[in-house]
Amino acid sequence: MLSTDEIRRIDHEIALVPVRKAASIEALKIVQHHRGWISDESLQAIAAHLGMSAEELDSVATFYNLIFRKPVGRNIILLCDSISCYVMGYEQIYTHLQALLHIKFGETTPDDRFTLLPNPCLGSCDHAPVLMINQDTYRDLTTEKLQEILKEYK
Amino acid sequence: MERPLTQHINFNRSSLNLKDYQSVGGYQAVEKALTSMAPGDITKMVIEADLKGRGGAGFSTGTKWSFVPMNTLGQTKYLIANADEMEPGTFKDRMLLEGNPHQLIEGMIVAAYAIQANISYVFLRWAYKKAAWLIKHAIEEAYTAGYLGKNILGSGFNLEMHLHTGIGRYMCGEETALLNALEGKRATPRTKPPFPQVSGLFGKPTIVNNVETLCNIPHIVNHGADWFKDLSPGSDAGTKIYGISGRVNKPGLWELPMGTTVRELLETHAGGMKKGVSFRAVLPGGASTDFLVEEHLDVKMDYKSIAAAGSRLGTGTMIVLDDQTCPVGFIHNLEHFFAQESCGWCTPCREGLPWTEKILLSIENGTGRPEDLELLEMHTKHLGPGNTFCALAPGAMEPLQSGLKYFRADFEKHIKEKKCPWR
């Protein structure tokens, strides 16, 4: 079941496009924003509202990197693993993050505080290595800075 | 030296709002175009200026526009700014988006008028959170000031503008895949023809242009085609936003005349290599371009000169490979990215890129075999131009084929010593 607020927001997006299905990505974003991830139940509810099959919507949901089809933690760490960050040592940052959080890429801490994911180029290559946590970008990373940065996220 | 695109960008101040932008001549090009020029005159001017697409392909912008059917009164047409900057090592559009969002909006309005589009989108990368906020706000300001909406400046021209933020996939930068993403589908590429200029978003005529390309448009309209050509002493017109990342003293971005040499960028602007490391090679225009090495340092960074040296200008943002970084690991990192981001639509790319990545990883980890190098060579042919649906796999093969050429001894050493000499 979609909430009234979710339906209102999705309908706003539907009004902007010539066919209902075209709002599918926006609808996934809206529901994920409310619920943190897209469960099978959420997927079916969105698909029904857009007049498409759940399978077709799942083909869209699983195509994109930032729609989560599994539960994630309260805070998402996206560590850039692309070329400039490779040259500037993202691997040390990753090793240090693993030591601090005891999780690898694709995993969530047992207290649901953090999910750690690799991410392609974040477009701050002149300040590599780079990571994002939720909406915030951190540049010129060093292993020393990591602990301070993580403290901000409860 | 003139720097039309970045002259008003100052990151020590906040981004230019509508008033700031107007006070430095902003929206004069919209006024000039909509009140005194016919749409065809603008396209003609952009063709004469020889503006080429700054997103990587380098196609003539005005020529692209000229393929859009005109005399189509009442028919929906679209203009899209491709701001899905996701080429690894590329960060130039971010500066334009965050520094001066109205410059992009003005370029889009003029471009839309030239092709008589009535709906426009900024297709923005999700990671650019600050840019998203700034552009959303700038679009609202432009509506309030009457530069967007109905009957703009009393000209009878109407234009709506929307911001769309993506949800992450490199393929979205390919223009037909971008259209599928905007239609709420998987971002796989489309068959051409029909070209988007004739049948694009929702089957309507559509132009997709890169951010830097569109930001040049107001300046061309204000100052003319000859002025634009004179910005560069070389064979390609205008300025270019060049960038450098890697182990250099001052990584960053600089707007310079088209055709600035690799050496000037590296030594004068990026301040040379960091202490203790030396230069080995550079990818001149993002992850999907061929390496250039020491002998190419005096190559001019323009379309023709770089092609003659065996590479491409691409996005003009360079990634430096130094002697402390393993070239096999470097290339493995690139192919890992391409294998992951392949959309899976066509077989050579879907199957070939993961295979390539696995071979490179085994070489890097010391389990490579001598015949693996032939296998890699084979992939550079099978995944090359003409064998795949779009340019992703051929682009992925560019650093691999040139890497095999310039770093052959390093590959062989990994295989012979059964380990990475850098680890």
Side-chain angles (χ1 to χ4, degrees):
Chain A
M1 277 279 284
L2 298 172
S3 71
T4 322
D5 188 40
E6 285 167 339
I7 290 175
R8 185 181 56 79
R9 284 165 190 264
I10 293 171
D11 286 349
H12 173 76
E13 297 298 330
I14 290 173
L16 294 174
V17 284
V19 285
R20 286 179 83 84
K21 274 196 227 183
S24 67
I25 290 175
E26 293 300 328
L28 289 165
K29 276 159 66 178
I30 288 164
V31 174
Q32 181 164 290
H33 178 74
H34 282 76
R35 306 176 183 195
W37 66 294
I38 303 291
S39 66
D40 288 351
E41 291 71 29
S42 304
L43 189 85
Q44 281 158 0
I46 301 166
H49 191 71
L50 295 176
M52 62 201 289
S53 71
E55 289 77 9
E56 188 181 1
L57 184 63
D58 204 17
S59 81
V60 175
T62 54
F63 185 84
Y64 295 97
N65 299 337
L66 291 170
I67 293 297
F68 305 127
R69 289 285 278 116
K70 282 195 223 166
V72 289
R74 294 189 296 281
N75 303 291
I76 316 266
I77 305 175
L78 298 167
L79 177 63
C80 175
D81 66 352
S82 287
I83 193 63
S84 308
C85 287
Y86 172 80
V87 172
M88 300 307 286
Y90 92 83
E91 283 169 329
Q92 283 100 292
I93 303 290
Y94 179 40
T95 306
H96 202 69
L97 273 174
Q98 289 178 80
L100 287 173
L101 301 173
H102 308 290
I103 50 171
K104 293 195 181 74
F105 279 144
E107 295 178 348
T108 300
T109 52
D111 60 358
D112 284 337
R113 188 171 157 215
F114 289 111
T115 295
L116 177 59
L117 297 170
N119 196 83
C121 188
L122 288 165
S124 292
C125 318
D126 49 345
H127 293 283
V130 183
L131 63 71
M132 279 181 84
I133 305 182
N134 307 336
Q135 308 286 311
D136 311 318
T137 307
Y138 295 93
R139 304 166 187 209
D140 301 307
L141 284 174
T142 58
T143 49
E144 294 77 44
K145 284 186 192 168
L146 275 181
Q147 207 148 7
E148 280 304 303
I149 292 170
L150 294 182
K151 264 189 203 162
E152 301 293 313
Y153 300 89
K154 301 298 175 198
Chain B
M1 194 190 327
E2 285 187 88
R3 295 191 170 94
L5 301 178
T6 56
Q7 59 187 329
H8 303 301
I9 295 179
N10 177 354
F11 283 103
N12 297 321
R13 285 197 325 244
S14 54
S15 161
L16 273 72
N17 63 22
L18 180 75
K19 269 211 178 108
D20 301 331
Y21 186 60
Q22 283 173 319
S23 73
V24 293
Y27 287 106
Q28 281 176 8
V30 165
E31 267 193 77
K32 183 176 171 186
L34 270 59
T35 58
S36 72
M37 292 175 79
D41 295 343
I42 297 166
T43 302
K44 197 164 157 256
M45 194 181 217
V46 174
I47 293 174
E48 279 171 8
D50 197 24
L51 172 65
K52 291 179 181 143
R54 304 299 201 231
F59 190 76
S60 159
T61 304
T63 308
K64 192 178 192 179
W65 294 359
S66 73
F67 298 144
V68 174
M70 300 304 278
N71 304 320
T72 45
L73 205 64
Q75 196 196 349
T76 294
K77 289 192 256 185
Y78 295 98
L79 183 279
I80 298 165
N82 186 346
D84 194 53
E85 183 164 70
M86 205 171 154
E87 178 80 11
T90 298
F91 50 106
K92 68 180 179 71
D93 293 338
R94 183 181 201 133
M95 173 172 70
L96 294 170
L97 294 160
E98 290 183 356
N100 194 355
H102 280 287
Q103 178 173 250
L104 171 66
I105 293 171
E106 181 170 24
M108 290 175 70
I109 298 168
V110 177
Y113 176 74
I115 62 161
Q116 293 288 292
N118 55 329
I119 303 177
S120 57
Y121 284 93
V122 178
F123 191 103
L124 181 69
R125 180 136 194 239
W126 65 271
Y128 290 3
K129 305 284 183 192
K130 184 180 170 191
W133 188 88
L134 289 167
I135 287 172
K136 194 165 175 281
H137 182 67
I139 291 174
E140 283 164 14
E141 282 186 319
Y143 268 107
T144 309
Y147 295 123
L148 287 170
K150 298 248 179 294
N151 191 21
I152 298 166
L153 305 178
S155 65
F157 176 64
N158 308 323
L159 181 66
E160 301 298 328
M161 189 175 288
H162 310 290
L163 172 67
H164 175 95
T165 47
I167 43 177
R169 199 71 197 244
Y170 178 61
M171 271 310 297
C172 295
E174 200 276 342
E175 68 175 16
T176 61
L178 181 150
L179 299 177
N180 279 339
L182 265 182
E183 292 184 9
K185 299 173 183 163
R186 290 166 75 92
T188 51
R190 294 179 179 179
T191 313
K192 291 187 272 193
F195 285 87
Q197 294 92 314
V198 179
S199 177
L201 188 63
F202 301 111
K204 306 290 184 199
T206 304
I207 284 290
V208 183
N209 284 144
N210 167 262
V211 169
E212 186 183 349
T213 309
L214 287 164
C215 288
N216 273 300
I217 301 297
H219 305 289
I220 293 173
V221 167
N222 284 333
H223 305 293
D226 288 334
W227 166 86
F228 188 72
K229 282 194 273 197
D230 288 345
L231 288 173
S232 152
S235 60
D236 278 306
T239 61
K240 179 79 194 77
I241 296 178
Y242 295 108
I244 296 189
S245 65
R247 288 201 178 108
V248 294
N249 283 314
K250 291 182 287 175
L253 295 163
W254 311 276
E255 183 183 8
L256 294 164
M258 185 66 98
T260 304
T261 65
V262 180
R263 188 186 300 280
E264 184 186 331
L265 284 160
L266 197 63
E267 291 174 6
T268 310
H269 301 286
M273 300 301 291
K274 272 192 196 297
K275 209 175 158 197
V277 297
S278 44
F279 174 89
R280 277 204 82 185
V282 64
L283 297 175
S288 54
T289 56
D290 285 272
F291 284 102
L292 297 178
V293 293
E294 191 103 37
E295 65 184 89
H296 302 121
L297 282 177
D298 292 310
V299 168
K300 288 183 176 140
M301 290 276 285
D302 60 41
Y303 297 97
K304 220 187 263 173
S305 312
I306 295 198
S311 190
R312 290 190 302 118
L313 179 63
T315 61
T317 37
M318 323 199 301
I319 307 139
V320 176
L321 170 67
D322 59 82
D323 66 338
Q324 307 292 310
T325 302
C326 171
V328 177
F330 187 100
I331 297 167
H332 170 260
N333 179 278
L334 297 172
E335 299 309 329
H336 167 77
F337 167 80
F338 289 116
Q340 174 186 300
E341 295 299 323
S342 167
C343 74
W345 188 247
C346 70
T347 312
C349 182
R350 183 183 62 237
E351 305 298 327
L353 287 174
W355 193 358
T356 307
E357 187 205 343
K358 281 185 190 134
I359 298 170
L360 286 163
L361 185 63
S362 67
I363 297 175
E364 174 69 358
N365 287 342
T367 55
R369 308 162 305 168
E371 59 269 34
D372 285 342
L373 296 183
E374 285 159 45
L375 258 180
L376 289 174
E377 295 278 7
M378 181 196 86
H379 276 88
T380 63
K381 306 288 180 302
H382 286 185
L383 273 67
N387 294 331
T388 58
F389 214 84
C390 80
L392 187 143
M397 291 302 102
E398 291 181 23
L400 179 61
Q401 69 192 10
S402 48
L404 285 167
K405 181 169 143 197
Y406 296 124
F407 312 121
R408 188 123 202 142
D410 297 304
F411 278 89
E412 286 165 352
K413 205 170 175 200
H414 277 75
I415 295 169
K416 200 168 160 226
E417 295 182 1
K418 298 192 188 310
K419 68 178 182 67
C420 171
W422 277 267
R423 283 179 195 258

